[in-house]
Amino acid sequence: MASSSEAGPSTSRPLIKETQWTSVTPGVTSKDVIISVKVKHSPFRGSVPCMPSPLAVICAILNIIIPGSGTFVSAFSVFCCGFAERPACAAFGWNLLAAVLQLLTVIFLVGWIWSIHWGIMFVTLSCEY
């Protein structure tokens, strides 16, 4: 493989560096390694409840019509028919805060977009219910 000083300016072909990976632990092959990934969501995202599909669709439609209204309804669903990654009381509080912020920021269109995004997440997560 030629170095950049030998190639000269007329060559337009980039140099490729080949890397060989070796095991750090002797005797461990790639088949012996188990990789687990845990996704950590923000407090708001971790509080989005997973609800039954009909309720998720109703909350999504409410969020499109009046931003934050579907999020407000979904806050109460963590106590009766839904679940979230966070404890029920924490998810309730974060959902109420999100509903208020969605309603207050609707004048900047941020609240409406955020509210529609949450409505989509309600329907997407309802498949896991």
Side-chain angles (χ1 to χ4, degrees), residues 22-87:
T22 58
S23 178
V24 177
T25 309
V28 177
T29 63
S30 61
K31 293 180 182 177
D32 297 334
V33 178
I34 298 174
I35 298 173
S36 68
V37 177
K38 181 172 169 114
V39 178
K40 184 176 179 184
H41 292 123
S42 68
F44 280 115
R45 173 58 181 86
S47 299
V48 176
C50 183
M51 305 173 275
S53 294
L55 182 58
V57 170
I58 290 170
C59 288
I61 292 170
L62 284 173
N63 266 355
I64 293 169
I65 296 170
I66 303 170
S69 60
T71 307
F72 182 78
V73 171
S74 75
F76 292 96
S77 74
V78 296
F79 293 120
C80 60
C81 59
F83 59 90
E85 293 176 7
R86 301 194 168 282

CSV table of all heavy atoms in Angstrom, one decimal, residues 22-87:
chain,number,residue,atom,x,y,z
A,22,THR,N,-8.4,-8.0,17.0
A,22,THR,CA,-7.9,-9.2,17.8
A,22,THR,C,-8.7,-9.2,19.1
A,22,THR,O,-9.1,-8.1,19.6
A,22,THR,CB,-6.4,-9.1,18.1
A,22,THR,OG1,-6.1,-7.9,18.8
A,22,THR,CG2,-5.6,-9.2,16.8
A,23,SER,N,-8.8,-10.3,19.7
A,23,SER,CA,-9.5,-10.5,21.0
A,23,SER,C,-8.6,-10.0,22.1
A,23,SER,O,-7.4,-10.3,22.1
A,23,SER,CB,-9.9,-11.9,21.2
A,23,SER,OG,-10.5,-12.1,22.4
A,24,VAL,N,-9.2,-9.2,23.0
A,24,VAL,CA,-8.5,-8.7,24.1
A,24,VAL,C,-8.2,-9.8,25.1
A,24,VAL,O,-7.1,-9.9,25.7
A,24,VAL,CB,-9.2,-7.5,24.8
A,24,VAL,CG1,-8.5,-7.0,26.0
A,24,VAL,CG2,-9.4,-6.4,23.8
A,25,THR,N,-9.2,-10.7,25.3
A,25,THR,CA,-9.1,-11.8,26.3
A,25,THR,C,-8.6,-13.0,25.5
A,25,THR,O,-9.3,-13.4,24.6
A,25,THR,CB,-10.4,-12.0,26.9
A,25,THR,OG1,-10.9,-10.8,27.5
A,25,THR,CG2,-10.3,-13.0,28.1
A,26,PRO,N,-7.5,-13.6,25.9
A,26,PRO,CA,-7.1,-14.8,25.2
A,26,PRO,C,-8.1,-16.0,25.4
A,26,PRO,O,-8.6,-16.2,26.5
A,26,PRO,CB,-5.7,-15.2,25.9
A,26,PRO,CG,-5.4,-14.0,26.8
A,26,PRO,CD,-6.6,-13.2,27.0
A,27,GLY,N,-8.3,-16.7,24.3
A,27,GLY,CA,-9.2,-17.8,24.4
A,27,GLY,C,-10.7,-17.5,24.2
A,27,GLY,O,-11.5,-18.3,24.2
A,28,VAL,N,-11.0,-16.2,24.0
A,28,VAL,CA,-12.4,-15.8,23.8
A,28,VAL,C,-12.6,-15.5,22.4
A,28,VAL,O,-11.9,-14.7,21.8
A,28,VAL,CB,-12.8,-14.5,24.7
A,28,VAL,CG1,-14.2,-14.1,24.4
A,28,VAL,CG2,-12.6,-14.8,26.2
A,29,THR,N,-13.6,-16.2,21.8
A,29,THR,CA,-13.9,-15.9,20.4
A,29,THR,C,-15.1,-15.1,20.3
A,29,THR,O,-15.8,-14.8,21.3
A,29,THR,CB,-14.2,-17.3,19.6
A,29,THR,OG1,-15.3,-17.9,20.2
A,29,THR,CG2,-12.9,-18.2,19.7
A,30,SER,N,-15.5,-14.6,19.1
A,30,SER,CA,-16.6,-13.8,18.9
A,30,SER,C,-17.9,-14.5,19.2
A,30,SER,O,-18.9,-13.9,19.5
A,30,SER,CB,-16.7,-13.2,17.5
A,30,SER,OG,-16.8,-14.3,16.6
A,31,LYS,N,-17.9,-15.8,19.2
A,31,LYS,CA,-19.1,-16.6,19.5
A,31,LYS,C,-19.4,-16.7,21.0
A,31,LYS,O,-20.5,-17.0,21.4
A,31,LYS,CB,-19.0,-18.0,18.9
A,31,LYS,CG,-19.0,-18.0,17.4
A,31,LYS,CD,-18.9,-19.4,16.9
A,31,LYS,CE,-18.9,-19.4,15.4
A,31,LYS,NZ,-18.7,-20.8,14.9
A,32,ASP,N,-18.3,-16.4,21.8
A,32,ASP,CA,-18.5,-16.4,23.3
A,32,ASP,C,-19.0,-15.1,23.9
A,32,ASP,O,-19.2,-15.1,25.1
A,32,ASP,CB,-17.1,-16.8,23.9
A,32,ASP,CG,-16.6,-18.2,23.5
A,32,ASP,OD1,-17.5,-19.0,23.1
A,32,ASP,OD2,-15.4,-18.4,23.5
A,33,VAL,N,-19.1,-14.1,23.1
A,33,VAL,CA,-19.4,-12.7,23.6
A,33,VAL,C,-20.9,-12.5,23.5
A,33,VAL,O,-21.4,-12.7,22.4
A,33,VAL,CB,-18.6,-11.6,22.9
A,33,VAL,CG1,-18.9,-10.3,23.4
A,33,VAL,CG2,-17.1,-11.9,23.1
A,34,ILE,N,-21.5,-12.0,24.5
A,34,ILE,CA,-22.9,-11.7,24.5
A,34,ILE,C,-23.0,-10.2,24.7
A,34,ILE,O,-22.5,-9.7,25.7
A,34,ILE,CB,-23.8,-12.4,25.5
A,34,ILE,CG1,-23.7,-13.9,25.3
A,34,ILE,CG2,-25.2,-11.9,25.6
A,34,ILE,CD1,-24.4,-14.7,26.3
A,35,ILE,N,-23.6,-9.5,23.8
A,35,ILE,CA,-23.8,-8.0,23.9
A,35,ILE,C,-25.2,-7.7,24.2
A,35,ILE,O,-26.1,-8.1,23.5
A,35,ILE,CB,-23.3,-7.3,22.7
A,35,ILE,CG1,-21.9,-7.6,22.4
A,35,ILE,CG2,-23.6,-5.8,22.7
A,35,ILE,CD1,-21.4,-7.1,21.1
A,36,SER,N,-25.5,-6.9,25.3
A,36,SER,CA,-26.8,-6.5,25.6
A,36,SER,C,-26.9,-5.0,25.5
A,36,SER,O,-25.9,-4.3,25.9
A,36,SER,CB,-27.3,-7.0,26.9
A,36,SER,OG,-26.6,-6.4,28.0
A,37,VAL,N,-28.0,-4.5,25.1
A,37,VAL,CA,-28.1,-3.0,24.9
A,37,VAL,C,-29.4,-2.6,25.7
A,37,VAL,O,-30.4,-3.2,25.5
A,37,VAL,CB,-28.3,-2.6,23.4
A,37,VAL,CG1,-28.5,-1.2,23.3
A,37,VAL,CG2,-27.0,-3.1,22.7
A,38,LYS,N,-29.3,-1.7,26.5
A,38,LYS,CA,-30.4,-1.1,27.3
A,38,LYS,C,-30.6,0.3,26.8
A,38,LYS,O,-29.7,1.1,27.0
A,38,LYS,CB,-30.2,-1.3,28.8
A,38,LYS,CG,-31.4,-0.8,29.5
A,38,LYS,CD,-31.3,-1.0,31.0
A,38,LYS,CE,-32.3,-0.3,31.7
A,38,LYS,NZ,-33.3,-0.7,32.3
A,39,VAL,N,-31.8,0.6,26.3
A,39,VAL,CA,-32.0,2.0,25.9
A,39,VAL,C,-32.6,2.8,27.1
A,39,VAL,O,-33.6,2.3,27.7
A,39,VAL,CB,-33.1,2.0,24.7
A,39,VAL,CG1,-33.4,3.4,24.3
A,39,VAL,CG2,-32.5,1.2,23.6
A,40,LYS,N,-32.0,3.9,27.3
A,40,LYS,CA,-32.5,4.7,28.4
A,40,LYS,C,-33.2,5.9,27.8
A,40,LYS,O,-32.5,6.7,27.1
A,40,LYS,CB,-31.3,5.2,29.3
A,40,LYS,CG,-31.8,5.9,30.5
A,40,LYS,CD,-30.6,6.3,31.4
A,40,LYS,CE,-31.1,7.1,32.6
A,40,LYS,NZ,-30.0,7.5,33.5
A,41,HIS,N,-34.4,6.1,28.1
A,41,HIS,CA,-35.2,7.2,27.5
A,41,HIS,C,-35.2,8.4,28.5
A,41,HIS,O,-35.0,8.2,29.7
A,41,HIS,CB,-36.6,6.8,27.3
A,41,HIS,CG,-36.7,5.8,26.2
A,41,HIS,ND1,-37.3,4.5,26.3
A,41,HIS,CD2,-36.3,5.8,24.9
A,41,HIS,CE1,-37.3,3.9,25.2
A,41,HIS,NE2,-36.7,4.6,24.3
A,42,SER,N,-35.5,9.5,28.0
A,42,SER,CA,-35.7,10.7,28.8
A,42,SER,C,-36.9,10.6,29.7
A,42,SER,O,-37.7,9.7,29.4
A,42,SER,CB,-35.8,12.0,27.9
A,42,SER,OG,-37.0,11.9,27.2
A,43,PRO,N,-37.0,11.4,30.7
A,43,PRO,CA,-38.2,11.3,31.6
A,43,PRO,C,-39.5,11.4,30.8
A,43,PRO,O,-40.5,10.7,31.1
A,43,PRO,CB,-38.0,12.5,32.6
A,43,PRO,CG,-36.6,12.7,32.6
A,43,PRO,CD,-36.1,12.4,31.2
A,44,PHE,N,-39.6,12.4,29.8
A,44,PHE,CA,-40.8,12.5,29.1
A,44,PHE,C,-41.1,11.3,28.3
A,44,PHE,O,-42.2,10.7,28.3
A,44,PHE,CB,-40.7,13.7,28.1
A,44,PHE,CG,-41.0,15.0,28.8
A,44,PHE,CD1,-40.0,16.0,29.0
A,44,PHE,CD2,-42.2,15.3,29.4
A,44,PHE,CE1,-40.2,17.2,29.6
A,44,PHE,CE2,-42.5,16.5,30.0
A,44,PHE,CZ,-41.5,17.4,30.1
A,45,ARG,N,-40.1,10.8,27.5
A,45,ARG,CA,-40.3,9.6,26.7
A,45,ARG,C,-40.6,8.3,27.5
A,45,ARG,O,-41.4,7.5,27.1
A,45,ARG,CB,-39.1,9.4,25.8
A,45,ARG,CG,-39.1,8.1,24.9
A,45,ARG,CD,-40.3,8.1,24.0
A,45,ARG,NE,-40.3,6.9,23.2
A,45,ARG,CZ,-40.8,5.7,23.6
A,45,ARG,NH1,-41.3,5.6,24.8
A,45,ARG,NH2,-40.8,4.7,22.8
A,46,GLY,N,-39.9,8.2,28.6
A,46,GLY,CA,-40.2,7.1,29.5
A,46,GLY,C,-41.5,7.1,30.1
A,46,GLY,O,-42.0,6.1,30.7
A,47,SER,N,-42.2,8.2,30.1
A,47,SER,CA,-43.5,8.3,30.7
A,47,SER,C,-44.7,8.1,29.8
A,47,SER,O,-45.8,8.1,30.2
A,47,SER,CB,-43.7,9.7,31.4
A,47,SER,OG,-42.7,9.8,32.4
A,48,VAL,N,-44.4,8.0,28.5
A,48,VAL,CA,-45.5,7.8,27.5
A,48,VAL,C,-46.1,6.4,27.8
A,48,VAL,O,-45.4,5.4,27.7
A,48,VAL,CB,-44.9,7.9,26.1
A,48,VAL,CG1,-46.0,7.6,25.1
A,48,VAL,CG2,-44.3,9.2,25.8
A,49,PRO,N,-47.4,6.4,28.1
A,49,PRO,CA,-48.0,5.1,28.5
A,49,PRO,C,-48.3,4.2,27.2
A,49,PRO,O,-48.5,4.7,26.2
A,49,PRO,CB,-49.2,5.5,29.2
A,49,PRO,CG,-49.6,6.8,28.6
A,49,PRO,CD,-48.3,7.5,28.2
A,50,CYS,N,-48.2,2.9,27.5
A,50,CYS,CA,-48.6,1.9,26.5
A,50,CYS,C,-50.0,1.6,26.9
A,50,CYS,O,-50.3,1.0,27.9
A,50,CYS,CB,-47.7,0.7,26.6
A,50,CYS,SG,-48.0,-0.5,25.4
A,51,MET,N,-51.0,1.9,26.0
A,51,MET,CA,-52.4,1.8,26.3
A,51,MET,C,-53.0,0.8,25.3
A,51,MET,O,-52.4,0.5,24.2
A,51,MET,CB,-53.1,3.1,26.1
A,51,MET,CG,-52.5,4.2,26.9
A,51,MET,SD,-53.3,5.8,26.5
A,51,MET,CE,-52.3,6.3,25.1
A,52,PRO,N,-54.3,0.3,25.5
A,52,PRO,CA,-55.0,-0.4,24.5
A,52,PRO,C,-55.2,0.4,23.2
A,52,PRO,O,-55.3,1.6,23.3
A,52,PRO,CB,-56.3,-0.7,25.2
A,52,PRO,CG,-56.1,-0.6,26.6
A,52,PRO,CD,-55.0,0.5,26.8
A,53,SER,N,-55.2,-0.3,22.1
A,53,SER,CA,-55.3,0.4,20.8
A,53,SER,C,-56.4,1.4,20.7
A,53,SER,O,-56.2,2.5,20.2
A,53,SER,CB,-55.3,-0.6,19.7
A,53,SER,OG,-54.1,-1.3,19.6
A,54,PRO,N,-57.6,1.1,21.0
A,54,PRO,CA,-58.7,2.1,20.9
A,54,PRO,C,-58.5,3.3,21.7
A,54,PRO,O,-58.7,4.4,21.2
A,54,PRO,CB,-60.0,1.3,21.4
A,54,PRO,CG,-59.6,-0.1,21.3
A,54,PRO,CD,-58.2,-0.2,21.5
A,55,LEU,N,-58.0,3.2,22.9
A,55,LEU,CA,-57.7,4.4,23.7
A,55,LEU,C,-56.5,5.2,23.1
A,55,LEU,O,-56.5,6.4,23.1
A,55,LEU,CB,-57.4,4.0,25.1
A,55,LEU,CG,-57.1,5.1,26.1
A,55,LEU,CD1,-58.3,6.1,26.2
A,55,LEU,CD2,-56.8,4.6,27.5
A,56,ALA,N,-55.5,4.5,22.6
A,56,ALA,CA,-54.4,5.2,22.0
A,56,ALA,C,-54.8,6.0,20.8
A,56,ALA,O,-54.4,7.1,20.6
A,56,ALA,CB,-53.3,4.1,21.6
A,57,VAL,N,-55.7,5.4,20.0
A,57,VAL,CA,-56.2,6.1,18.8
A,57,VAL,C,-57.0,7.4,19.2
A,57,VAL,O,-56.9,8.4,18.6
A,57,VAL,CB,-57.0,5.2,17.9
A,57,VAL,CG1,-57.7,6.0,16.8
A,57,VAL,CG2,-56.1,4.1,17.3
A,58,ILE,N,-57.9,7.2,20.2
A,58,ILE,CA,-58.7,8.3,20.7
A,58,ILE,C,-57.7,9.4,21.2
A,58,ILE,O,-57.9,10.6,20.9
A,58,ILE,CB,-59.6,7.9,21.8
A,58,ILE,CG1,-60.7,7.0,21.2
A,58,ILE,CG2,-60.2,9.1,22.6
A,58,ILE,CD1,-61.6,6.3,22.2
A,59,CYS,N,-56.7,9.1,22.0
A,59,CYS,CA,-55.8,10.1,22.5
A,59,CYS,C,-55.0,10.7,21.4
A,59,CYS,O,-54.7,11.9,21.4
A,59,CYS,CB,-54.8,9.4,23.5
A,59,CYS,SG,-55.5,9.0,25.1
A,60,ALA,N,-54.6,10.0,20.4
A,60,ALA,CA,-53.9,10.6,19.2
A,60,ALA,C,-54.8,11.6,18.5
A,60,ALA,O,-54.4,12.7,18.1
A,60,ALA,CB,-53.5,9.5,18.3
A,61,ILE,N,-56.1,11.3,18.3
A,61,ILE,CA,-57.0,12.2,17.6
A,61,ILE,C,-57.2,13.4,18.5
A,61,ILE,O,-57.3,14.5,18.0
A,61,ILE,CB,-58.4,11.5,17.3
A,61,ILE,CG1,-58.1,10.4,16.2
A,61,ILE,CG2,-59.4,12.5,16.9
A,61,ILE,CD1,-59.3,9.5,16.0
A,62,LEU,N,-57.4,13.2,19.8
A,62,LEU,CA,-57.5,14.4,20.7
A,62,LEU,C,-56.3,15.3,20.6
A,62,LEU,O,-56.4,16.5,20.7
A,62,LEU,CB,-57.7,13.9,22.1
A,62,LEU,CG,-59.1,13.4,22.5
A,62,LEU,CD1,-59.1,12.8,23.9
A,62,LEU,CD2,-60.2,14.5,22.3
A,63,ASN,N,-55.1,14.7,20.6
A,63,ASN,CA,-53.9,15.5,20.5
A,63,ASN,C,-53.8,16.3,19.2
A,63,ASN,O,-53.2,17.3,19.2
A,63,ASN,CB,-52.6,14.6,20.6
A,63,ASN,CG,-52.1,14.5,22.0
A,63,ASN,OD1,-52.6,15.2,22.9
A,63,ASN,ND2,-51.2,13.7,22.3
A,64,ILE,N,-54.4,15.7,18.1
A,64,ILE,CA,-54.4,16.5,16.8
A,64,ILE,C,-55.4,17.6,16.9
A,64,ILE,O,-55.1,18.7,16.4
A,64,ILE,CB,-54.7,15.5,15.7
A,64,ILE,CG1,-53.6,14.5,15.5
A,64,ILE,CG2,-55.0,16.3,14.4
A,64,ILE,CD1,-53.9,13.4,14.6
A,65,ILE,N,-56.5,17.4,17.5
A,65,ILE,CA,-57.6,18.4,17.6
A,65,ILE,C,-57.2,19.5,18.6
A,65,ILE,O,-57.2,20.7,18.2
A,65,ILE,CB,-59.0,17.8,17.9
A,65,ILE,CG1,-59.4,16.9,16.8
A,65,ILE,CG2,-60.0,18.9,18.1
A,65,ILE,CD1,-60.6,16.0,17.1
A,66,ILE,N,-56.9,19.1,19.8
A,66,ILE,CA,-56.6,20.1,20.8
A,66,ILE,C,-55.2,19.6,21.4
A,66,ILE,O,-55.2,18.6,22.2
A,66,ILE,CB,-57.6,20.2,22.0
A,66,ILE,CG1,-59.0,20.6,21.4
A,66,ILE,CG2,-57.2,21.2,23.0
A,66,ILE,CD1,-60.1,20.5,22.4
A,67,PRO,N,-54.1,20.2,21.1
A,67,PRO,CA,-52.8,19.8,21.6
A,67,PRO,C,-52.8,19.6,23.1
A,67,PRO,O,-53.2,20.5,23.8
A,67,PRO,CB,-51.9,20.8,21.1
A,67,PRO,CG,-52.5,21.4,19.9
A,67,PRO,CD,-54.0,21.4,20.2
A,68,GLY,N,-52.3,18.5,23.6
A,68,GLY,CA,-52.2,18.3,25.0
A,68,GLY,C,-53.4,17.5,25.6
A,68,GLY,O,-53.2,17.0,26.7
A,69,SER,N,-54.5,17.6,24.9
A,69,SER,CA,-55.7,17.0,25.5
A,69,SER,C,-55.6,15.4,25.6
A,69,SER,O,-56.0,14.8,26.6
A,69,SER,CB,-57.0,17.4,24.8
A,69,SER,OG,-56.9,17.0,23.4
A,70,GLY,N,-55.1,14.8,24.5
A,70,GLY,CA,-54.9,13.4,24.5
A,70,GLY,C,-53.8,13.0,25.5
A,70,GLY,O,-53.9,11.9,26.1
A,71,THR,N,-52.8,13.8,25.7
A,71,THR,CA,-51.7,13.5,26.6
A,71,THR,C,-52.3,13.6,28.0
A,71,THR,O,-51.9,12.8,28.9
A,71,THR,CB,-50.5,14.5,26.5
A,71,THR,OG1,-50.1,14.5,25.1
A,71,THR,CG2,-49.4,14.2,27.3
A,72,PHE,N,-53.2,14.5,28.3
A,72,PHE,CA,-53.9,14.7,29.6
A,72,PHE,C,-54.7,13.4,29.9
A,72,PHE,O,-54.6,12.9,31.0
A,72,PHE,CB,-54.8,15.9,29.6
A,72,PHE,CG,-55.4,16.2,30.9
A,72,PHE,CD1,-54.8,16.7,31.9
A,72,PHE,CD2,-56.8,15.8,31.1
A,72,PHE,CE1,-55.4,17.0,33.2
A,72,PHE,CE2,-57.4,16.0,32.3
A,72,PHE,CZ,-56.7,16.6,33.3
A,73,VAL,N,-55.4,12.9,28.9
A,73,VAL,CA,-56.2,11.7,29.1
A,73,VAL,C,-55.3,10.5,29.3
A,73,VAL,O,-55.5,9.6,30.2
A,73,VAL,CB,-57.1,11.5,27.9
A,73,VAL,CG1,-57.8,10.1,28.0
A,73,VAL,CG2,-58.2,12.5,27.8
A,74,SER,N,-54.2,10.5,28.6
A,74,SER,CA,-53.2,9.3,28.7
A,74,SER,C,-52.6,9.3,30.1
A,74,SER,O,-52.1,8.2,30.5
A,74,SER,CB,-52.2,9.4,27.6
A,74,SER,OG,-51.2,10.4,27.9
A,75,ALA,N,-52.5,10.5,30.7
A,75,ALA,CA,-51.9,10.5,32.1
A,75,ALA,C,-52.6,9.7,33.0
A,75,ALA,O,-52.1,9.0,33.9
A,75,ALA,CB,-51.8,11.9,32.6
A,76,PHE,N,-53.9,9.7,32.9
A,76,PHE,CA,-54.8,8.9,33.8
A,76,PHE,C,-54.8,7.4,33.5
A,76,PHE,O,-55.2,6.6,34.3
A,76,PHE,CB,-56.2,9.4,33.8
A,76,PHE,CG,-56.3,10.8,34.5
A,76,PHE,CD1,-56.3,11.9,33.7
A,76,PHE,CD2,-56.4,10.9,35.8
A,76,PHE,CE1,-56.3,13.2,34.3
A,76,PHE,CE2,-56.4,12.2,36.4
A,76,PHE,CZ,-56.4,13.3,35.6
A,77,SER,N,-54.4,7.1,32.2
A,77,SER,CA,-54.4,5.7,31.8
A,77,SER,C,-53.4,4.8,32.5
A,77,SER,O,-53.5,3.6,32.6
A,77,SER,CB,-54.3,5.5,30.3
A,77,SER,OG,-52.9,5.8,29.9
A,78,VAL,N,-52.3,5.5,33.0
A,78,VAL,CA,-51.3,4.7,33.7
A,78,VAL,C,-51.8,4.1,35.0
A,78,VAL,O,-51.2,3.1,35.5
A,78,VAL,CB,-50.0,5.5,34.0
A,78,VAL,CG1,-49.4,6.0,32.7
A,78,VAL,CG2,-50.3,6.7,34.9
A,79,PHE,N,-52.9,4.6,35.5
A,79,PHE,CA,-53.5,4.0,36.8
A,79,PHE,C,-54.5,2.9,36.5
A,79,PHE,O,-54.7,2.1,37.4
A,79,PHE,CB,-54.2,5.1,37.6
A,79,PHE,CG,-53.3,6.2,38.1
A,79,PHE,CD1,-53.4,7.5,37.8
A,79,PHE,CD2,-52.2,5.8,39.0
A,79,PHE,CE1,-52.5,8.4,38.3
A,79,PHE,CE2,-51.4,6.8,39.5
A,79,PHE,CZ,-51.5,8.1,39.1
A,80,CYS,N,-55.1,2.9,35.3
A,80,CYS,CA,-56.2,1.9,35.1
A,80,CYS,C,-55.9,0.9,34.0
A,80,CYS,O,-56.1,-0.3,34.2
A,80,CYS,CB,-57.5,2.6,34.9
A,80,CYS,SG,-57.5,3.6,33.4
A,81,CYS,N,-55.4,1.3,32.9
A,81,CYS,CA,-55.4,0.4,31.8
A,81,CYS,C,-54.1,0.4,31.0
A,81,CYS,O,-53.9,-0.3,30.0
A,81,CYS,CB,-56.5,0.6,30.8
A,81,CYS,SG,-56.6,2.2,30.1
A,82,GLY,N,-53.1,1.2,31.4
A,82,GLY,CA,-51.9,1.3,30.6
A,82,GLY,C,-50.7,1.1,31.6
A,82,GLY,O,-50.9,1.0,32.8
A,83,PHE,N,-49.5,1.1,31.0
A,83,PHE,CA,-48.3,1.1,31.8
A,83,PHE,C,-47.2,1.9,31.1
A,83,PHE,O,-47.3,2.1,29.9
A,83,PHE,CB,-47.9,-0.4,32.0
A,83,PHE,CG,-47.6,-1.1,30.8
A,83,PHE,CD1,-46.3,-1.2,30.2
A,83,PHE,CD2,-48.6,-1.8,30.1
A,83,PHE,CE1,-46.1,-1.9,29.0
A,83,PHE,CE2,-48.4,-2.5,29.0
A,83,PHE,CZ,-47.1,-2.6,28.4
A,84,ALA,N,-46.2,2.3,31.8
A,84,ALA,CA,-45.1,3.1,31.3
A,84,ALA,C,-43.8,2.5,31.9
A,84,ALA,O,-43.8,1.7,32.8
A,84,ALA,CB,-45.3,4.5,31.7
A,85,GLU,N,-42.7,3.0,31.4
A,85,GLU,CA,-41.4,2.5,31.9
A,85,GLU,C,-41.1,3.0,33.3
A,85,GLU,O,-40.4,2.4,34.0
A,85,GLU,CB,-40.3,3.0,30.9
A,85,GLU,CG,-40.3,2.5,29.6
A,85,GLU,CD,-39.2,3.0,28.7
A,85,GLU,OE1,-38.4,3.8,29.2
A,85,GLU,OE2,-39.2,2.7,27.5
A,86,ARG,N,-41.8,4.1,33.6
A,86,ARG,CA,-41.6,4.7,35.0
A,86,ARG,C,-42.7,4.3,35.9
A,86,ARG,O,-43.7,3.8,35.4
A,86,ARG,CB,-41.6,6.2,34.8
A,86,ARG,CG,-40.5,6.7,33.9
A,86,ARG,CD,-40.3,8.2,34.1
A,86,ARG,NE,-39.1,8.7,33.5
A,86,ARG,CZ,-37.9,8.5,33.9
A,86,ARG,NH1,-37.7,7.9,35.1
A,86,ARG,NH2,-36.8,8.9,33.3
A,87,PRO,N,-42.5,4.5,37.2
A,87,PRO,CA,-43.6,4.2,38.1
A,87,PRO,C,-44.9,5.0,37.8
A,87,PRO,O,-44.8,6.1,37.2
A,87,PRO,CB,-43.1,4.6,39.5
A,87,PRO,CG,-41.6,4.5,39.3
A,87,PRO,CD,-41.3,4.9,37.9
